[in-house]
Amino acid sequence: MLSLFRITDVSAHCDLPCGVYDPAQARIEAESIKAIIAKVADNDDPDFRTRAIVIKEQRSELVKHHLWVLWTDYFKPPHFEKYPELHTLVNEATKLAGASGTKGELDAAKADELLAKIDEIAKIFWETKKA
């Protein structure tokens, strides 16, 4: 059978040329979560609160998604060797975006903790981009 495709072995650091990954995506969603928590605290309308909570939960899932993409697709063994705290940071951040964190609670302090963890991950991310 004649094949129209040639199979070529390729090697790359990440799925696409680097530059498509950025922890700012997780941070933007986390900032949105913090703003939603503040708006819910200032509003007694049950319909508004329900919609806001649904959006907050969606944004929390997006934070987890963006962090997992960095963890699984961008960061590689040499990064984990140089920054052994990276696994723990990603784990803690995703838990802060999960059911016991911003997804399941209306706690502004949790949102602040999440933002701080994302900032720690971003610092490491940008250090790896310099290397």
Side-chain angles (χ1 to χ4, degrees), residues 2-129:
L2 180 62
S3 174
L4 298 176
F5 301 102
R6 257 198 288 190
I7 297 174
T8 305
D9 287 332
V10 296
S11 176
H13 168 77
C14 49
D15 294 341
L16 291 170
C18 288
V20 299
Y21 300 103
D22 194 328
Q25 293 169 302
R27 184 157 183 53
I28 289 166
E29 300 301 346
E31 289 283 357
S32 175
I33 292 164
K34 186 174 177 181
I36 290 168
I37 291 169
K39 288 186 176 288
V40 168
D42 291 340
N43 195 310
D44 293 329
D45 176 11
D47 292 331
F48 172 84
R49 292 174 64 87
T50 299
R51 286 193 318 271
I53 289 168
V54 168
I55 293 167
K56 175 188 64 71
E57 290 175 359
Q58 292 169 340
R59 298 291 183 252
S60 293
E61 280 298 316
L62 286 169
V63 168
K64 291 176 6 181
H65 169 77
H66 291 305
L67 292 175
W68 285 334
V69 167
L70 287 174
W71 189 50
T72 59
D73 295 353
Y74 175 77
F75 290 119
K76 299 296 181 210
H79 299 136
F80 296 117
E81 290 168 16
K82 185 171 181 180
Y83 304 97
E85 71 277 20
L86 192 53
H87 284 300
T88 300
L89 282 172
V90 173
N91 183 320
E92 291 171 349
T94 55
K95 287 191 181 309
L96 281 165
S100 63
T102 60
K103 183 176 180 182
E105 299 182 23
L106 289 167
D107 184 350
K110 294 268 188 198
D112 287 333
E113 288 179 56
L114 176 58
L115 286 163
K117 291 289 181 195
I118 292 170
D119 287 345
E120 289 181 63
I121 294 165
K123 182 176 184 248
I124 291 171
F125 173 84
W126 289 111
E127 286 176 9
T128 67
K129 296 290 275 186

